[in-house]
Amino acid sequence: MSKTAKLDVFRNEPFTDFSQEPGKRAIEEAIAKVKSELGREYPLRIGGELIFTEDKIRSFNPGQTSETIGWVSKADRALAEKAMQSALKTFESWKKTPAQTRAEILLKAAAIMQERKHEFSALMVLEAGKNYAEADADTAEAIDFLNFYAREMIRLSKINETMPLTPVAGEENRLTYIPLGVGVIIPPWNFPLAICAGMTSAAIVAGNTVLLKPASNTPVIAAKFAALMEEAGLPAGVLNFIPGSGAEVGDYLTAHPQTRFISFTGSKEVGLHINKLAADTAPGQIWIKRVVAEMGGKDGIVVDETADLDAAAQAIVTSAFGYQGQKCSAGSRAFIVEAVYDEVVEKVVELTRRLTIGLPEHNFPVGPVIDESSYRKVLDYIEVGKQEGELLTGGRQAEVAGAQGFYIEPAVFAGVDGKARIMQEEIFGPVLAIGKAQDWREAVRLFNDTEFGLTGAFFSRDEDRIYEALETMHCGNLYVNRKCTGALVGGQPFGGFNMSGTDSKAGGYDYLLLFTQAKLTSRKK
Ligand SMILES: NC(=O)c1ccc[n+]([C@@H]2O[C@H](COP(=O)([O-])OP(=O)(O)OC[C@H]3O[C@@H](n4cnc5c(N)ncnc54)[C@H](O)[C@@H]3O)[C@@H](O)[C@H]2O)c1
Ligand SMILES: N[C@@H](CCC=O)C(=O)O
């Protein structure tokens, strides 16, 4: 793109239709290609140097645990320090690189990813246990983040033209958004491409250099992303890729005096730990570290008696069990008014029973949960649920012919009290808790009775109630008459209230500001 070429308006990457032959063939071919490359080794990337370590993370297929996706080199503290020094050095040149040039690298990366989108999706089918549509949506969102943040950086760099400061006689004032410094990027495994690419590219395009520590369940897709950024022309040392233990490398870098910011997405427990550690001032530290922390959810759907009950039941099931309930936005709770409670519950159970379980590469609606510890945790919660409500369907370990993985039947509990543990704690698996409310206002009260506040949905045909619910349901992303998952970049900036995080609104118009500091210069004329 030349300096004068006008960038077209941002549009979301379309999803692939896998019910049609071309889409189906494309992903099947991509899966075959990725399978032929399994078991490779992936290095750290520090200042352009590819480093292979003795100690490695084994990434495996959660739907077929004997299948190794790849062996990923693992950073220790010494390598994390080397990466910090590389990022500090590179920051001196990267911060001076024009915003337009930085943005162009993201646009190039988006174009390359788009060209090879099915390959990225296929890798997530195998490494993260996503079915075709879930993996495709993840890749599409990653492409969106790259395209969106590139445009956002260009917009911010022209802020004095689009949002002129109030004129002051005899002085010329300018506001610029300058980068912060070196940031540590810590994404989760559940959107292993989209969130990793979004968090990393936003920090980079704003002029920062970063240390990317990917989630240990999904380091291969993160390694592919790091390689892609280099292919797109990102100078060495801007993105330093350092997989490793959260407790070792994560704590070391969070506490590091030269870390300027930490961008984290993950659980409440780890987010609060990072926030606390980052608040301490290390000897030699000359700033308050900025922490962006997007955390868990206990999201839900409220249904009143005027609602389209079929649509509501479908949305409840899709929100609860899409990607096995492993989304921060998962609708793990539903509150239904008494008048239609039995009818909606029956529909939900029927739809849930229709969900078939199997290997993600064969595109079953329900696949495995991510690993053994998650499997045990979800099964433990199902036992808790049996004491707290009535298990209407599912909840057992599922056998999948020819596959050894972490499969669990989607579980629906009804008659669950709002204070029950399965109503209050994030399970992050295929478990839905349904509660009965006397009326829609009580249902909204029950919905709000949580420490989290990420997503929610309200189903009704009554305009007055919709109006009131939009005001009173307290969460960062609130939807009406649709599922509570699947926010789109640009149109539905994403982030939550309370213990769901700092409400950073990824994919929104404020997001890049989190990785900059505003500098005002005033010159006497
Ligand atoms: N709010 C959102 O936008 C959003 C999006 C996706 C996922 N999530 C949440 O993420 C969680 C699931 O992801 P997860 O299991 O990867 O979460 P997690 O908190 O276990 O791990 C997240 C990341 O933190 C790292 N980590 C662990 N300990 C660390 C430490 N001491 N210091 C630094 N880093 C450390 C992990 O290696 C991983 O990369 C769920 O709670 C889900 O709701 C939130
Ligand atoms: N942004 C995604 C959720 C990300 C967290 O897991 C959604 O809107 O469903």
Side-chain angles (χ1 to χ4, degrees), residues 186-187 189-190 213 215 246 251 264-267 270 295-296 328 426 428:
I186 309 175
W189 51 263
N190 73 327
K213 195 217 79 62
D251 281 359
F264 167 82
T265 304
S267 63
V270 175
M295 315 194 296
C328 56
E426 187 184 46
F428 221 57

Side-chain angles (χ1 to χ4, degrees), residues 193-212:
L193 183 57
I195 295 183
C196 176
M199 292 168 72
T200 308
S201 63
I204 283 175
V205 81
N208 304 286
T209 52
V210 302
L211 312 176
L212 167 59

Side-chain angles (χ1 to χ4, degrees), residues 10-13 15 130 133-134 136-145 148-149 190-191 194-195 294 299 318-319 327-331 454-457 475-480 482-496 503-508:
F10 169 77
R11 292 276 177 260
N12 295 111
E13 174 71 10
F15 297 140
K130 296 200 169 205
E134 294 287 351
D136 183 63
D138 199 320
T139 306
E141 191 175 5
I143 295 168
D144 283 352
F145 278 134
F148 183 78
Y149 293 140
N190 73 327
F191 277 78
I195 295 183
E294 291 310 313
D299 317 298
T318 306
S319 304
K327 299 184 188 182
C328 56
S329 53
L454 189 44
T455 77
C475 58
N477 283 57
L478 177 58
Y479 305 98
V480 175
R482 54 151 284 185
K483 62 180 180 162
C484 63
T485 54
L488 289 173
V489 170
Q492 290 144 352
F494 190 79
D503 195 30
S504 63
K505 289 291 183 269

Side-chain angles (χ1 to χ4, degrees), residues 292-316:
V292 177
E294 291 310 313
M295 315 194 296
K298 195 67 193 174
D299 317 298
I301 294 187
V302 168
V303 185
D304 85 356
E305 67 280 16
T306 71
D308 174 339
L309 303 186
D310 287 312
Q314 185 59 67
I316 290 171

